[in-house]
Amino acid sequence: MAEITAALVKELRERTGQGMMECKKALVAADGDIEKAIDDMRASGAIKAAKKAGNIAAEGSIAVKVAADNKSAVIVEVNSQTDFLALQDDFKAFVAESLEEAFANGLTEVAPLVASREAAREALVAKCGENVNIRRLTRVEGDVVGAYLHGHRIGVLVTLSGGTPELARDIAMHVAASNPQFLSPAQVSEEAIAKEKEIFLALNADKIAGKPENIVENMVKGRISKFLAEASLVEQPFVKDPEVKVGELAKKAGAEVVSFVRYEVGEGIEKAEVDFAAEVAAQVAASQQ
């Protein structure tokens, strides 16, 4: 049995990015042959990735890329289990490479990107010890396209008819901050309006009790009008100048807002409750095996 020195473990750790205990186990299994240990660790990457696949990945990063002519853009979300990993260079590189591939190939759906990047994803999972997923992708095209990225957690694409890339970016920044649900009141579904009415009536049951039907109807109409304005991008006061609505801002610049896409990391993913004390205890126990 070859001697497994600290220097050998250190070298393997630097070359693979794996944990100290994993490196030591791999060297023992390979009888001190570092090249064999590396090959064995790479071969086990798919197995490790499969084991991590059941872990909820609700953190991560949003990335955007706009074409040089500002007529197309892509936005992607890549999830990790922790925000810590989202800030690491290996994860950032995986996100950047995935975005570049999606943009270069003109992808409009996430499935081809997921398939193409699977080997790289498995290698990253094996190295970082967290589940990683490419969750979604949207490509937009139009007369003028602009984007805004707020840190690594919120990304927005805005498409205009007319106007400038700077205007599109300003409106994208507004979307990031205000999170409108719809483009315009005309796009608000009857279901959404009915739900808002139901909520209003439930919350104001005491105020409504005993009032004439026409008064109640006017109260409901007032609330629905306010809801449509609050939820619709073109009706919202522009964040940089609340005296003007977003739709008016675009119109003054000879433009019209055609569409927007807003991604926020982890939205819609049900996060599991984490017992951090138990998690740390489990990690300590695993390191002692």
Side-chain angles (χ1 to χ4, degrees):
M1 172 66 72
E3 181 184 1
I4 310 301
T5 65
L8 198 59
V9 173
K10 181 174 181 291
E11 181 183 350
L12 182 57
R13 187 177 184 184
E14 290 174 350
R15 291 178 62 179
T16 64
Q18 299 283 13
M20 182 178 69
M21 295 305 297
E22 284 188 302
C23 289
K24 185 174 181 180
K25 288 179 182 178
L27 286 166
V28 170
D31 197 23
D33 185 335
I34 193 168
E35 298 302 330
K36 185 177 186 305
I38 290 173
D39 288 342
D40 291 344
M41 291 172 85
R42 285 175 175 169
S44 67
I47 298 173
K48 291 180 180 180
K51 288 180 178 178
K52 294 292 181 181
N55 295 345
I56 296 174
E59 298 295 337
S61 291
I62 307 297
V64 300
K65 184 176 178 66
V66 181
D69 61 4
N70 291 100
K71 293 189 179 299
S72 64
V74 171
I75 182 168
V76 299
E77 178 182 2
V78 181
N79 295 127
S80 58
Q81 287 178 238
T82 65
D83 191 54
F84 175 79
L85 179 60
L87 300 175
Q88 304 309 303
D89 289 342
D90 288 336
F91 184 85
K92 289 181 179 179
F94 177 79
V95 173
E97 290 163 5
S98 300
L99 176 67
E100 287 295 332
E101 181 173 324
F103 184 84
N105 294 333
L107 298 183
T108 58
E109 297 180 353
V110 74
L113 183 64
V114 170
S116 175
R117 297 289 292 160
E118 182 60 15
R121 187 194 73 84
E122 288 181 348
L124 177 60
V125 171
K127 183 174 183 179
C128 71
E130 286 191 23
N131 191 19
V132 173
N133 290 311
I134 300 176
R135 182 186 181 200
R136 52 182 171 164
L137 171 158
T138 299
R139 177 183 175 85
V140 301
E141 297 180 350
D143 189 19
V144 177
V145 176
Y148 175 74
L149 193 62
H150 186 73
H152 65 284
R153 298 191 64 85
I154 299 175
V156 178
L157 302 180
V158 166
T159 305
L160 303 179
S161 174
T164 65
E166 290 74 24
L167 174 63
R169 186 181 186 280
D170 272 351
I171 295 176
M173 184 186 299
H174 170 95
V175 172
S178 298
N179 192 17
Q181 298 177 49
F182 310 95
L183 176 60
S184 67
Q187 290 190 350
V188 182
S189 67
E190 291 297 326
E191 290 79 10
I193 293 174
K195 183 177 181 180
E196 187 63 24
K197 178 180 178 179
E198 182 182 338
I199 293 171
F200 175 78
L201 291 174
L203 292 176
N204 294 276
D206 292 341
K207 294 180 182 179
I208 291 171
K211 284 187 168 57
E213 186 176 336
N214 66 315
I215 298 296
V216 174
E217 185 177 340
N218 287 334
M219 290 174 66
V220 171
K221 284 182 178 178
R223 175 53 209 162
I224 295 303
S225 295
K226 185 178 180 182
F227 165 69
L228 293 175
E230 291 173 344
S232 303
L233 171 59
V234 297
E235 292 296 319
Q236 290 181 338
F238 181 47
V239 289
K240 285 187 174 182
D241 181 5
E243 296 301 314
V244 62
K245 295 179 180 179
V246 172
E248 295 170 351
L249 176 75
K251 188 175 181 180
K252 287 180 180 180
E256 180 183 356
V257 185
V258 176
S259 66
F260 71 89
V261 178
R262 184 184 189 275
Y263 278 8
E264 185 166 350
V265 167
E267 59 189 350
I269 299 176
E270 186 175 347
K271 299 181 181 181
E273 294 295 326
V274 178
D275 184 337
F276 288 106
E279 185 175 307
V280 171
Q283 290 180 354
V284 171
S287 70
Q288 295 175 342
Q289 292 179 359

